[in-house]
Amino acid sequence: MSKDIVTQKQLLYERVEVDKDELFALLGSLIQINSENFGSHGNEAACAEYVKNYGEALGYQAEIYSPVDILDFEKHPDYLAGRGLEARRNCTITVPGKQHEKKLMLAAHIDTVEIGDESKWAFPPLCGMVRDGRILGRGACDDKYGVAASLFLFKKMKELGIELQYDLLFTGYCDEEHGGSNGALAACLKYPCDDYLNLDCKNFEIWNCGVGGGELVFQVKSKDAVDNCSKVLEGLNLAEKHFREFAERRRAELESNPIFAGTIVARNALRIMNFAAGGQGGTDMDSGYFKVTYYTDKTESEINDELVELKKAVDKEFEELGLCALQIKKTTRFFHYVKSEENNRIVSLLKEAGEENGKHLCEKGACLSDLPMFVLYGSPRAVCFGIGADFHRPGGAHQTNEYVECDKFVEFTKIVGGFLLDY
């Protein structure tokens, strides 16, 4: 490593520490912009505009675009329809380097899950305030900290006169939540780069492998009019019993996978997300459904074959109960199982930057992230890195009272900055 790079890194680390309140305020401003993703539609446009304005204020080119603006995007094999993409936006900022032969993209998604019932929050969901060493609000740890860190580093490097040897891009992309991935796919197709670092991850981990799977809805309906839900409930329980066998196969395969064995991903290879029969006020008693998320390292065709056999077995029993054939519908894309390149330079550089900042970074596997888009259509070296909190932790991703810890946010920003200078 040259003496100039060492000096620049030290200056950048010091500037991040000195200006950390500016970093926190930037994240707070992003949190205050409502960018909820509802699956069939989303309102990321205002957040994309914020990113564009920030980049242009620094003197850099910034472009807002919808995924469907890309030629033949809807014909792509991994395009997911029914997401209202015409009104949804990505924004990509380009920071030109001394040379243009090499390009690196940082990426982070600008959409969030729904706020939900605001009465369950201990603070306004879009407050973006700093309190007790935490930055509070929807999107704080999933994933607006990645957006804020990137923009902040662009500004600090410009203030310090640091010019990189390569072109650096940042994309704030739409439609990550609810199994979308259209925004990540669009970023890769519109801005081909040598490498991609997606800043959406947990616990200072580096995700170099992504488990496959997705979300399914199993729908049950009575052939005849009924005055209570008992028949539908029996059908739901019957279908769920058959699906448990499917789930056990998923757990077994992930426990035999060295990357996922003994992890929460393998333990939670099946998650029941919703289970309901009938409707409010005694309505719709002839129908019900349950929704599940599952993880796998099998291919989509292998999973589809299993679901066909599962449906056949259930339909025979449904006929005897007077129920219609079981309906199985995908509500997200199918996520492909992917693994980044072995002996990955991106991983090595992240680990080196981590050690410089007192953090030992480890490689782990992801569940249903956008890593497959970046690996399959961006670069085989693409990985995810971040500091979000797990779904099951209070204040973690998708939880009420979401937050990110200030100290970790500063450490994360320094590591990313060090990586950029070493790349």
Side-chain angles (χ1 to χ4, degrees):
M1 187 186 305
S2 72
K3 186 179 293 186
D4 285 346
I5 294 295
V6 173
T7 301
Q8 288 178 344
K9 287 169 76 172
Q10 190 57 43
L11 289 171
L12 184 58
Y13 292 158
E14 290 173 358
R15 184 62 68 90
V16 172
E17 191 66 46
V18 169
D19 291 348
K20 61 186 178 183
D21 287 341
E22 180 184 342
L23 175 65
F24 303 157
L26 174 54
L27 176 54
S29 296
L30 287 162
I31 291 170
Q32 289 166 12
I33 303 170
N34 187 314
S35 55
E36 291 170 287
N37 181 338
F38 299 95
S40 62
H41 63 285
N43 56 356
E44 299 97 332
C47 198
E49 191 69 33
Y50 183 99
V51 172
K52 180 176 185 288
N53 292 339
Y54 195 99
E56 290 181 338
L58 294 175
Y60 300 130
Q61 179 182 345
E63 181 180 11
I64 287 179
Y65 54 97
S66 166
V68 292
D69 292 341
I70 297 169
L71 182 65
D72 292 332
F73 186 79
E74 290 159 304
K75 297 179 182 178
H76 193 279
D78 263 312
Y79 161 69
L80 182 64
R83 308 288 292 193
L85 293 176
E86 294 78 7
R88 307 177 79 164
R89 300 290 183 266
N90 282 11
C91 182
T92 298
I93 299 171
T94 301
V95 180
K98 293 180 181 179
Q99 302 175 35
H100 307 296
E101 292 78 17
K102 195 173 180 182
K103 299 180 187 298
L104 167 70
M105 180 185 288
L106 300 180
H109 65 87
I110 57 177
D111 61 321
T112 72
V113 294
E114 298 97 319
I115 289 169
D117 185 351
E118 293 191 34
S119 68
K120 295 181 179 179
W121 287 70
F123 46 80
L126 299 179
C127 66
M129 68 175 66
V130 180
R131 189 172 73 192
D132 299 326
R134 298 170 172 176
I135 305 166
L136 311 176
R138 176 58 83 216
C141 83
D142 187 26
D143 176 37
K144 290 184 175 179
Y145 73 86
V147 182
S150 300
L151 299 179
F152 178 80
L153 285 168
F154 284 12
K155 184 179 181 184
K156 297 302 119 176
M157 288 192 293
K158 179 155 190 173
E159 290 173 354
L160 292 168
I162 296 173
E163 190 175 3
L164 300 172
Q165 297 296 322
Y166 57 91
D167 289 345
L168 174 62
L169 292 81
F170 167 73
T171 299
Y173 64 92
C174 65
D175 195 28
E176 190 272 348
E177 303 292 359
H178 294 287
S181 298
N182 283 306
L185 174 60
C188 295
L189 297 178
K190 188 171 180 63
Y191 287 94
C193 293
D194 298 279
D195 289 299
Y196 297 78
L197 176 59
N198 189 32
L199 302 176
D200 181 23
C201 190
K202 308 289 187 292
N203 308 318
F204 286 101
E205 296 169 355
I206 300 170
W207 288 345
N208 66 344
C209 179
V211 75
E215 189 177 76
L216 300 169
V217 169
F218 293 73
Q219 296 177 322
V220 175
K221 187 173 179 62
S222 172
K223 291 182 177 180
D224 303 312
V226 292
D227 61 2
N228 68 81
C229 293
S230 60
K231 182 192 292 189
V232 169
L233 183 58
E234 186 176 357
L236 286 170
N237 286 325
L238 188 155
E240 193 273 335
K241 176 184 174 183
H242 280 272
F243 190 73
R244 247 180 274 148
E245 299 170 1
F246 174 94
E248 284 305 318
R249 289 193 291 275
R250 307 287 76 81
R251 291 190 185 97
E253 71 197 23
L254 293 178
E255 285 294 352
S256 65
N257 184 318
I259 296 170
F260 293 102
T263 68
I264 194 169
V265 176
R267 291 195 299 274
N268 284 346
L270 166 73
R271 293 193 294 152
I272 296 180
M273 311 302 286
N274 302 93
F275 194 101
Q280 295 291 329
T283 61
D284 301 320
M285 289 181 288
D286 63 342
S287 61
Y289 75 96
F290 68 95
K291 182 185 293 185
V292 302
T293 296
Y294 70 97
Y295 306 143
T296 182
D297 59 9
K298 302 302 183 189
T299 66
E300 184 172 15
S301 61
E302 288 174 315
I303 292 298
N304 286 342
D305 288 345
E306 286 195 36
L307 291 174
V308 167
E309 293 304 312
L310 185 154
K311 187 178 185 309
K312 286 179 182 177
V314 174
D315 284 348
K316 288 181 181 179
E317 298 181 54
F318 270 25
E319 184 66 30
E320 297 174 5
L321 290 173
L323 296 169
C324 297
L326 178 68
Q327 297 298 309
I328 305 175
K329 294 184 178 181
K330 290 196 302 184
T331 56
T332 67
R333 70 167 57 255
F334 179 83
F335 289 81
H336 307 290
Y337 178 84
V338 295
K339 194 172 188 307
S340 301
E341 189 177 273
E342 298 287 343
N343 302 315
N344 194 334
R345 179 172 177 264
I346 303 302
V347 172
S348 299
L349 292 176
L350 280 170
K351 287 185 174 182
E352 289 172 14
E355 294 294 337
E356 289 177 0
N357 289 279
K359 285 290 181 183
H360 177 71
L361 308 183
C362 59
E363 298 167 64
K364 295 259 181 105
C367 59
L368 306 194
S369 76
D370 278 345
L371 183 60
M373 297 297 113
F374 290 107
V375 170
L376 294 173
Y377 306 111
S379 165
R381 293 176 296 278
V383 298
C384 299
F385 171 59
I387 53 167
D390 291 313
F391 298 114
H392 66 283
R393 296 191 181 281
H398 301 191
Q399 296 280 357
T400 56
N401 303 325
E402 185 178 341
Y403 68 87
V404 68
E405 294 179 29
C406 293
D407 289 347
K408 290 182 179 179
F409 188 27
V410 170
E411 292 170 339
F412 167 79
T413 305
K414 289 180 181 178
I415 293 170
V416 175
F419 165 81
L420 294 178
L421 291 177
D422 285 338
Y423 177 77

